[in-house]
Amino acid sequence: MQINIISKLITPVLLIVFLTSCSPSNVEVSIYTTDIDVAQEGEVLEVPVMASFSLYSDDDGELESASQIAEKYLAPDSIFSQSSGDWGETLVIETTIPMGTLDSLQNYLASNNRVAVLLVQGVDEIEISLSSTDYADALNSELSDINFMLGFELPGDSTNFRVISDSRNEVQVDATAVFVSEKPYLYYSKVLKRRDEAEIVFKGTTDSVYSEINPLIYVNYP
């Protein structure tokens, strides 16, 4: 796997509008601190992710082909819901993606198709990054072959890391150039006691550095 590092199919109409939204408008990732410890030791865990897509696309008559391609890359237990608004429709996907070290993820992805992972690196200070996989590139390429308007890309316009402490000891979470409670921080740091949590938002729009690099957080134990 080269790391440049989301049910059964819903109705074809919902699927095609998902696929024509290249980047999700919002991605929410929930991570428990004890899961980070387990992942660091070499185990792969599936962690919950919710992705929202703003939909502004019509059916081009290519539903059947796009559905067959997308089926290979969707987690089997994903949940899809759709809502309508004044400016179009929103599709929300609740799913899971694997979290682990580089070696463990390489082994896991050999038999599990996932378009994104949470890569865990480091010892004293642990770095966790949300990254696309070769499956995302493959999905994007196959869809583009059908129609250049189709595709899938990460990062999203907004990525929200929700870090929840269930550790006995304090855990420190750090991040650079982020938003917390809609307030911008060049550098953000928070010490979490047990049952505390931090919600850290990375903006992935074209005017942000996170449109070019993977959103990432740092975790250590003070």
Side-chain angles (χ1 to χ4, degrees):
M1 178 192 69
Q2 176 187 359
I3 291 201
N4 43 353
I5 347 216
I6 97 193
S7 170
K8 296 179 181 178
L9 286 177
I10 53 175
T11 64
V13 173
L14 285 184
L15 181 58
I16 196 68
V17 291
F18 156 55
L19 296 172
T20 53
S21 299
C22 292
S23 297
S25 53
N26 187 56
V27 176
E28 297 183 15
V29 183
S30 297
I31 306 172
Y32 284 87
T33 54
T34 54
D35 287 345
I36 298 172
D37 299 333
V38 173
Q40 189 185 23
E41 294 171 357
E43 185 175 339
V44 174
L45 301 95
E46 290 277 348
V47 301
V49 173
M50 183 167 66
S52 302
F53 294 81
S54 297
L55 312 175
Y56 303 97
S57 114
D58 297 323
D59 177 7
D60 295 325
E62 296 162 331
L63 299 175
E64 183 175 355
S65 297
S67 299
Q68 292 173 351
I69 291 172
E71 186 176 15
K72 299 183 296 183
Y73 303 98
L74 298 175
D77 56 352
S78 299
I79 299 173
F80 298 80
S81 58
Q82 184 185 14
S83 60
S84 300
D86 294 337
W87 300 100
E89 300 193 7
T90 298
L91 178 64
V92 177
I93 304 173
E94 297 175 70
T95 187
T96 61
I97 60 173
M99 177 172 68
T101 63
L102 178 59
D103 288 342
S104 62
L105 288 172
Q106 286 178 327
N107 293 330
Y108 189 79
L109 292 175
S111 56
N112 295 275
N113 294 5
R114 294 292 187 274
V115 297
V117 297
L118 287 166
L119 177 62
V120 178
Q121 302 180 95
V123 180
D124 295 328
E125 182 175 61
I126 304 169
E127 177 185 299
I128 305 169
S129 58
L130 174 65
S131 309
S132 61
T133 69
D134 290 346
Y135 291 114
D137 293 338
L139 174 58
N140 193 57
S141 177
E142 288 192 59
L143 293 173
S144 297
D145 287 343
I146 298 177
N147 187 316
F148 75 95
M149 293 292 292
L150 301 178
F152 175 83
E153 297 176 355
L154 287 177
D157 294 339
S158 178
T159 301
N160 180 7
F161 271 87
R162 181 174 177 236
V163 184
I164 307 153
S165 177
D166 56 347
S167 302
R168 291 184 178 274
N169 298 324
E170 292 182 344
V171 179
Q172 182 173 318
V173 180
D174 304 311
T176 302
V178 295
F179 289 79
V180 177
S181 299
E182 300 185 357
K183 179 181 177 180
Y185 288 83
L186 179 59
Y187 176 76
Y188 177 78
S189 181
K190 183 176 181 179
V191 175
L192 304 179
K193 296 181 180 180
R194 194 172 190 180
R195 297 186 178 86
D196 283 348
E197 63 180 65
E199 291 199 27
I200 304 169
V201 177
F202 299 82
K203 299 294 186 182
T205 50
T206 55
D207 58 346
S208 168
V209 64
Y210 293 108
S211 64
E212 302 295 334
I213 64 175
N214 299 321
L216 60 90
I217 61 172
Y218 299 92
V219 173
N220 58 70
Y221 300 87

